[in-house]
């Protein structure tokens, strides 16, 4: 059978490949410890599940939902943005519930990119920015995220003609996969860049609530002028351990929200209403679960960082996100390193090259595995030495 070029061009979705590898090892009877996938291991808090259960019993919630979500949910999102970030949003025009941030990110590309257009995309980065661009027929201009720039893109390094032609710029802080955070000064530069070159900003921010050592990440929309040029994607997934329920939101510039709504209303029929009620409960209800989860992640982070440093890997201690980003010893490529780690120690980590060429030479470890598993992984690493890199690999 013949498929469209976009199917042939598609890189294998990184996590599908990794899941397959894990399943294969487990089928062989290997006790695999996986640090690979960023999916909270702790359950959705019970007050949220109670609301979901109650809402699921109510017949009106069994029917097609509206594409733009329940007005009560849009209002809850606006209240949450106000109390959390001091950002005020009009719930009718500046908030759009999503079937998870990933859905909105993928579809947003269709709002900005015509065939042949350019999007500015971070490398390394969450794969959906570039795949969405490709699906829309566009091309990526990669913005390298380098350690020497604290993993922020160097906007001045983007050639002026590329910046003028670009139809969208993607950014993501707290960052996946590097764990880096951005201060307001950087967001201000992005707003200024966006206005100068007339490029809409798409900020992906699902990790603002996953932060450590008392740090509180900002919303892009806190920066003056941001709402003139940007929407922000957020999600209940990482904040409230709700990845499986599929619910997130886009907020910000009303015209940009409207464009995304028009795409979505032609492709999907909204979010199951019981799940929207669960989201309202998450946003309006008690927030102590966030600190409780962060305390668990922070102690895991500290154990993982210590174990990696013990092995001789260079690691910057992340202040937010679910990830530890570690630099491999010279000569190691990330794919070969990960393959060796699973063969020698039955430990799965994600190769940095899976996030783009500037991710090469790094690995990502997720903190979303139960403590007992994490401890087992650390035990295995503690009695291990990294071998010499394969000859000719450097
Ligand atoms: C997890 C993640 C998302 C997706 O969140 P969902 O709301 O579950 O779709 C989006 N962006 C990044 C960077 C993520 O890590």
């Amino acid at each position: 059978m013949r498929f469209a070029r976009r199917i042939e061009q598609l890189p294998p979705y990184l996590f599908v490949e990794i899941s397959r590898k894990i399943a294969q090892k487990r089928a062989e009877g290997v006790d695999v410890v996986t640090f690979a996938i960023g999916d909270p291991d702790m359950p959705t808090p019970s007050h949220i599940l109670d609301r979901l259960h109650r809402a699921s019993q109510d017949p009106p919630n069994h029917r097609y939902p509206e594409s733009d979500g329940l007005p009560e949910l849009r209002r809850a999102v606006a209240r949450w943005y106000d109390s959390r970030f001091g950002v005020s949003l009009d719930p009718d025009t500046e908030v759009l519930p999503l079937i998870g941030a990933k859905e909105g990110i993928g579809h947003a590309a269709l709002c900005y990119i015509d065939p042949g257009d350019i999007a500015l995309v971070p490398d390394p980065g969450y794969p959906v920015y570039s795949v969405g661009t490709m699906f829309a027929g566009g091309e990526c201009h990669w913005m390298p995220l380098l350690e020497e720039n604290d993993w922020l893109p160097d906007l001045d390094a983007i050639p002026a003609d590329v910046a003028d032609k670009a139809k969208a710029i993607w950014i993501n802080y707290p960052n996946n996969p590097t764990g880096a955070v951005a201060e307001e000064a950087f967001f201000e530069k992005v707003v200024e860049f966006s206005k100068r070159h007339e490029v809409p900003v798409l900020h992906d921010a699902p990790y603002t609530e996953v932060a450590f050592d008392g740090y509180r990440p900002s919303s892009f929309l806190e920066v003056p002028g941001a709402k003139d040029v940007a929407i922000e994607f957020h999600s209940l997934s990482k904040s409230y351990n709700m990845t499986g329920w599929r619910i997130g939101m886009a907020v910000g510039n009303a015209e940009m929200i409207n464009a995304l709504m028009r795409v979505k209303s032609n492709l999907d029929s909204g979010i199951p209403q019981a799940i929207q009620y669960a989201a309202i409960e998450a946003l309006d209800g008690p927030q102590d679960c966030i600190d409780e989860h962060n305390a668990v992640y922070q102690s895991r982070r500290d154990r993982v960082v210590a174990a990696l440093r013990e092995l001789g890997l260079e690691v910057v201690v992340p202040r937010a996100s679910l990830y530890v980003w570690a630099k491999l010893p010279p000569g190691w490529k990330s794919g070969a390193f990960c393959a060796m780690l699973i063969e020698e120690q039955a430990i799965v980590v994600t190769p940095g090259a899976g996030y783009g060429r500037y991710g090469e030479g790094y690995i990502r470890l997720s903190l979303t595995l139960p403590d007992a598993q994490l401890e087992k992984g650390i035990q295995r690493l503690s009695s291990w030495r990294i071998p010499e890199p394969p000859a000719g690999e450097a």
Side-chain angles (χ1 to χ4, degrees):
M1 194 168 302
R2 281 194 52 197
F3 293 98
R5 270 193 299 280
R6 70 177 62 83
I7 295 294
E8 280 159 12
Q9 282 171 9
L10 207 51
Y13 194 68
L14 182 60
F15 294 104
V16 175
E17 293 291 296
I18 291 172
S19 302
R20 215 173 38 84
K21 184 82 181 164
I22 295 169
Q24 179 203 330
K25 282 280 159 193
R26 288 192 172 142
E28 290 165 12
V30 179
D31 180 16
V32 177
V33 172
T34 176
F35 291 87
I37 291 168
D39 184 355
D41 57 302
M42 293 177 272
T44 307
S46 59
H47 64 285
I48 300 172
L49 292 174
D50 289 345
R51 183 73 176 269
L52 174 64
H53 181 71
R54 279 204 315 281
S56 74
Q57 313 289 303
D58 192 13
N61 294 334
H62 302 172
R63 308 190 65 196
Y64 279 127
E66 295 289 345
S67 291
D68 58 353
L70 289 166
E72 298 93 306
L73 174 58
R74 286 189 262 113
R75 288 197 288 269
V77 169
R79 275 194 299 277
W80 185 79
Y81 254 80
D82 186 26
S83 69
R84 171 63 179 86
F85 299 115
V87 167
S88 74
L89 296 167
D90 178 339
D92 292 327
T93 59
E94 296 178 330
V95 175
L96 180 63
L98 302 171
I99 312 169
K102 184 178 183 180
E103 176 265 305
I105 292 166
H107 285 148
L110 299 173
C111 300
Y112 303 98
I113 306 296
D114 280 320
D117 283 346
I118 296 175
L120 304 173
V121 178
D123 175 351
Y126 184 63
V128 189
Y129 317 135
S130 54
V131 169
T133 301
M134 190 268 274
F135 277 174
E139 275 158 39
C140 297
H141 175 87
W142 302 105
M143 301 184 291
L145 305 187
L146 306 175
E147 183 169 11
E148 70 225 45
N149 299 328
D150 300 321
W151 316 105
L152 301 172
D154 178 1
L155 301 176
D156 300 327
I158 301 168
D161 60 321
V162 173
D164 284 333
K165 268 196 289 187
K167 297 290 163 60
I169 178 169
W170 283 102
I171 52 171
N172 162 224
Y173 294 95
N175 186 256
N176 177 9
T178 66
V181 297
E183 302 303 335
E184 289 211 358
F186 171 74
F187 288 160
E188 283 164 12
K189 278 182 80 168
V190 175
V191 170
E192 194 268 325
F193 174 91
S194 158
K195 292 194 169 178
R196 183 149 38 97
H197 298 287
E198 296 182 52
V199 191
V201 178
L202 302 162
H203 184 233
D204 184 20
Y207 295 104
T208 64
E209 305 316 289
V210 185
F212 315 119
D213 310 314
Y215 177 67
R216 298 275 277 169
S218 312
S219 161
F220 188 78
L221 299 176
E222 287 177 52
V223 171
K227 219 201 268 176
D228 302 338
V229 295
I231 53 174
E232 180 160 89
F233 294 89
H234 212 300
S235 174
L236 289 273
S237 285
K238 316 299 172 29
S239 311
Y240 301 102
N241 299 347
M242 288 176 69
T243 49
W245 304 113
R246 310 310 304 132
I247 188 157
M249 62 275 202
V251 299
N253 184 276
E255 273 183 275
M256 295 172 72
I257 290 294
N258 183 255
L260 184 54
M261 214 283 280
R262 283 162 59 199
V263 168
K264 277 174 56 58
S265 61
N266 282 285
L267 291 172
D268 69 62
S269 298
I271 305 150
Q273 282 190 178
I275 292 172
Q276 297 190 54
Y277 283 108
I280 293 170
E281 179 64 35
L283 296 168
D284 280 348
Q287 300 294 303
D288 7 327
C289 54
I290 291 181
D291 285 344
E292 287 162 24
H293 302 148
N294 286 343
V296 173
Y297 293 135
Q298 184 173 323
S299 89
R300 292 177 185 172
R301 173 199 70 172
D302 292 342
R303 294 193 324 233
V304 168
V305 166
L308 294 173
R309 285 181 171 165
E310 191 66 30
L311 274 175
L313 301 186
E314 267 178 55
V315 190
V316 181
V317 181
R319 296 167 75 196
S321 87
L322 293 170
Y323 310 109
V324 174
W325 186 240
K327 189 174 188 172
L328 297 174
W332 273 108
K333 294 251 189 195
S334 59
F337 187 89
C338 293
M340 175 212 37
L341 194 56
I342 190 165
E343 289 308 328
E344 290 200 2
Q345 295 293 320
I347 291 174
V348 186
V349 303
T350 319
Y355 299 95
R357 56 183 282 237
Y358 290 94
E360 186 53 281
Y362 292 85
I363 53 172
R364 192 196 76 169
L365 286 86
S366 167
L367 303 172
T368 56
L369 68 176
D371 287 323
Q373 285 290 305
L374 180 125
E375 219 40 72
K376 191 190 282 180
I378 285 177
Q379 280 302 320
R380 289 182 191 171
L381 292 177
S382 70
S383 56
W384 186 61
R385 287 289 159 269
I386 299 176
E388 288 302 311
E393 270 276 346

